[in-house]
Amino acid sequence: MESVKPSAVTPHKSKLARTLSKVLRVKSMTGIDGLKNVKVDVNLNNEEELKKKMVIEEEELKKKMVIEALLSKVFASISTIKASYAQLQYAQSPYDPDGIQDADKFVVSELKVLSELKQCWFRKQFDFDPSPEGAIVASESKELKSVIKTYRIMGKKLESQARVKDSEIMFLKEKLEEANKQNKSIEKRLNQSGLLSSLDNLHISGLSPTHFISVLRHTVKSIRSFVKLLVNEMRSAGWDIDASVNAIIKENVVYWKEDHKCFAIESFVCREMFDSFNFPNFNLPNESIPPDRNKTQFFFARFNELKSVKAKEFLAFKPKSPFAKFCKVKYLRLVHPKMEASFFGDMKQRTNMVNSGEFPDDNKLFTLFCEMAKRVWLLHCLAFSFEPQVEIFQIGKGCRFSDVYMESVVNVNANDDDDDEVAATLAVESEPQVCFTVVPGFKIGKTVLQCQVYLSQLLQQQR
């Protein structure tokens, strides 16, 4: 028996060992592959769940879109009904049968649509529209058109109402213009032809303060009409009103309102027109007055001569009369040459009056001046018809207010909101004082006719 060689057995054993080792590794690897298969199965299950979730979400989104489309249709129908109702109202006034019929059809049609949508909602029938996105866009477009239609109808209605208001305004303007014409006509008859109609049958023995007060009231009214026109002419010609007022009233006066500066101009006009009022001949040159025993009759005759005649007619008829001289003197003192040039462009009026004694007949300012001068002249004649004669007086600046002799042209206790700053300034001072006399006062025996004054404070006193 042969012995086994070690060299021959060892390689065979090592080969077998390597083979067995590979087999074991393969088994172990087989176990690992099984785990991988488990993981793959898990991933497949997750994908199925995700797909199910996606399907559910898509169904919910679709249902949401369908409901949104339904609501959009509801709102669009409501807007259409609103527009149709607006059209229905608009067509009723003025009455439009075709418009009313069309609006009624739209309302009935949209009510049917709303009824169908209501039934779909209660029956859960949300699959009536295959494309909800398009339905939403269409509904929004329909709603916008209805809103635009509503605004257009409302615009037409407002335009119609505006036209009605314009017609009413035109009608009221015509009535106002007619009333103004009637008032002017009445005023013209009273102021020109019948101003002193109540004094037609008056005799000198029956004179009383009441007659003088009546003439004075119309005189002051005429003065203010002249001042108003004068101020308007000054503003139109670009005159500085403040500078003019400062030249008239030397002291710096605190005015309650800006418009009150016109009182300073009125004060100037009154001061010039009533200057020398206490002289029988108004201080006119070369004018003789009869003796005292006949003086009252003389002035009362002058009063009766002019009271019922228009001033310009009297001037044309008697251009050399005392009244004509009075008008020339007062006009030249009131109207500055520069003012006349800026108003009328030349010096024709002044040249005619001074050199040739003519009076302009196409000048509204001079026409109002003549009427004002006539009233002052008549008041002067009436004042010297009394026995004793009427006395004129005015109040100096800085005097305290007295109810007996003075009357304020403005209510210093009633301040507007715009005058709060001025009122606050004056509140810390003493009571307002007389800044200047606007219209002088008169004394008829024991009867006192108050002068009109402007009450305020002077700037120099505030300092």
Side-chain angles (χ1 to χ4, degrees), residues 329-459:
V329 171
K330 296 300 183 181
Y331 184 83
L332 295 177
R333 291 180 63 176
L334 277 181
V335 183
H336 194 274
K338 292 182 179 180
M339 181 182 294
E340 191 175 35
S342 63
F343 289 176
F344 313 117
D346 55 34
M347 303 295 291
K348 183 178 179 181
Q349 282 82 2
R350 185 173 295 269
T351 302
N352 288 341
M353 285 190 298
V354 174
N355 296 333
S356 61
E358 298 178 0
F359 297 94
D361 56 358
D362 58 348
N363 188 316
K364 186 176 180 180
L365 183 67
F366 187 76
T367 300
L368 283 182
F369 167 79
C370 288
E371 289 300 320
M372 174 183 67
K374 171 188 170 182
R375 310 287 171 82
V376 175
W377 181 263
L378 289 175
L379 192 69
H380 176 265
C381 293
L382 197 61
F384 280 85
S385 300
F386 282 84
E387 185 64 42
Q389 70 185 48
V390 177
E391 299 179 6
I392 187 172
F393 68 91
Q394 64 178 2
I395 307 300
K397 66 178 185 297
C399 295
R400 295 182 62 184
F401 181 76
S402 170
D403 292 332
V404 178
Y405 295 98
M406 308 175 206
E407 177 187 3
S408 177
V409 291
V410 294
N411 185 3
V412 297
N413 294 321
N415 300 316
D416 296 335
D417 293 338
D418 296 339
D419 306 317
D420 288 343
E421 184 176 353
V422 177
T425 303
L426 296 176
V428 298
E429 299 290 335
S430 59
E431 62 181 13
Q433 299 175 344
V434 175
C435 291
F436 52 85
T437 297
V438 181
V439 180
F442 299 89
K443 292 179 65 178
I444 311 174
K446 296 182 179 180
T447 303
V448 176
L449 306 183
Q450 299 165 311
C451 65
Q452 298 182 12
V453 297
Y454 190 82
L455 300 177
S456 186
Q457 295 289 346
L458 302 176
L459 289 180

Side-chain angles (χ1 to χ4, degrees), residues 68 125 302:
E68 187 175 348
Q125 294 177 355
R302 275 189 174 181

Side-chain angles (χ1 to χ4, degrees), residues 157-394:
K157 187 174 181 180
L158 292 175
E159 289 176 359
S160 178
Q161 292 177 352
R163 286 194 295 269
V164 172
K165 293 297 182 183
D166 290 339
S167 300
E168 292 178 356
I169 291 172
M170 292 298 296
F171 175 72
L172 292 175
K173 282 184 177 179
E174 291 176 358
K175 290 187 65 176
L176 178 61
E177 185 177 356
E178 182 180 354
N180 288 335
K181 287 181 180 179
Q182 292 178 354
N183 290 338
K184 288 181 180 179
S185 177
I186 295 173
E187 185 178 1
K188 186 176 180 180
R189 291 198 299 270
L190 290 175
N191 293 346
Q192 294 183 0
S193 60
L195 166 64
L196 301 174
S197 57
S198 61
L199 305 179
D200 287 343
N201 299 321
L202 179 66
H203 298 282
I204 191 169
S205 59
L207 279 179
S208 68
T210 304
H211 301 123
F212 188 86
I213 292 172
S214 177
V215 178
L216 175 62
R217 186 182 299 113
H218 285 88
T219 303
V220 173
K221 184 177 180 180
S222 180
I223 289 173
R224 285 177 178 161
S225 297
F226 174 79
V227 170
K228 182 178 179 180
L229 180 61
L230 181 65
V231 172
N232 290 337
E233 292 287 348
M234 292 171 66
R235 287 172 177 166
S236 299
W239 277 64
D240 189 344
I241 303 296
D242 292 342
S244 302
V245 169
N246 292 334
I248 294 170
I249 306 298
K250 302 301 181 182
E251 294 81 6
N252 293 324
V253 178
V254 179
Y255 293 92
W256 296 89
K257 295 177 67 174
E258 186 69 20
D259 293 342
H260 289 178
K261 293 181 179 179
C262 294
F263 288 119
I265 299 177
E266 182 180 342
S267 172
F268 167 74
V269 173
C270 288
R271 186 169 69 243
E272 294 298 333
M273 293 302 297
F274 287 103
D275 183 41
S276 302
F277 186 90
N278 55 328
F279 289 97
N281 60 354
F282 245 122
N283 207 19
L284 297 175
N286 303 323
E287 284 295 317
S288 60
I289 301 298
D292 290 343
R293 65 177 180 274
N294 298 324
K295 187 169 62 175
T296 56
Q297 293 287 346
F298 173 78
F299 281 103
F300 192 71
R302 275 189 174 181
F303 174 80
N304 288 325
E305 180 186 22
L306 185 59
K307 69 177 182 179
S308 300
V309 183
K310 293 182 180 180
K312 294 182 71 174
E313 292 178 357
F314 189 88
L315 291 174
F317 182 67
K318 293 185 176 182
K320 303 296 183 181
S321 63
F323 174 64
K325 294 179 182 179
F326 172 77
C327 289
K328 292 176 185 179
V329 171
K330 296 300 183 181
Y331 184 83
L332 295 177
R333 291 180 63 176
L334 277 181
V335 183
H336 194 274
K338 292 182 179 180
M339 181 182 294
E340 191 175 35
S342 63
F343 289 176
F344 313 117
D346 55 34
M347 303 295 291
K348 183 178 179 181
Q349 282 82 2
R350 185 173 295 269
T351 302
N352 288 341
M353 285 190 298
V354 174
N355 296 333
S356 61
E358 298 178 0
F359 297 94
D361 56 358
D362 58 348
N363 188 316
K364 186 176 180 180
L365 183 67
F366 187 76
T367 300
L368 283 182
F369 167 79
C370 288
E371 289 300 320
M372 174 183 67
K374 171 188 170 182
R375 310 287 171 82
V376 175
W377 181 263
L378 289 175
L379 192 69
H380 176 265
C381 293
L382 197 61
F384 280 85
S385 300
F386 282 84
E387 185 64 42
Q389 70 185 48
V390 177
E391 299 179 6
I392 187 172
F393 68 91
Q394 64 178 2

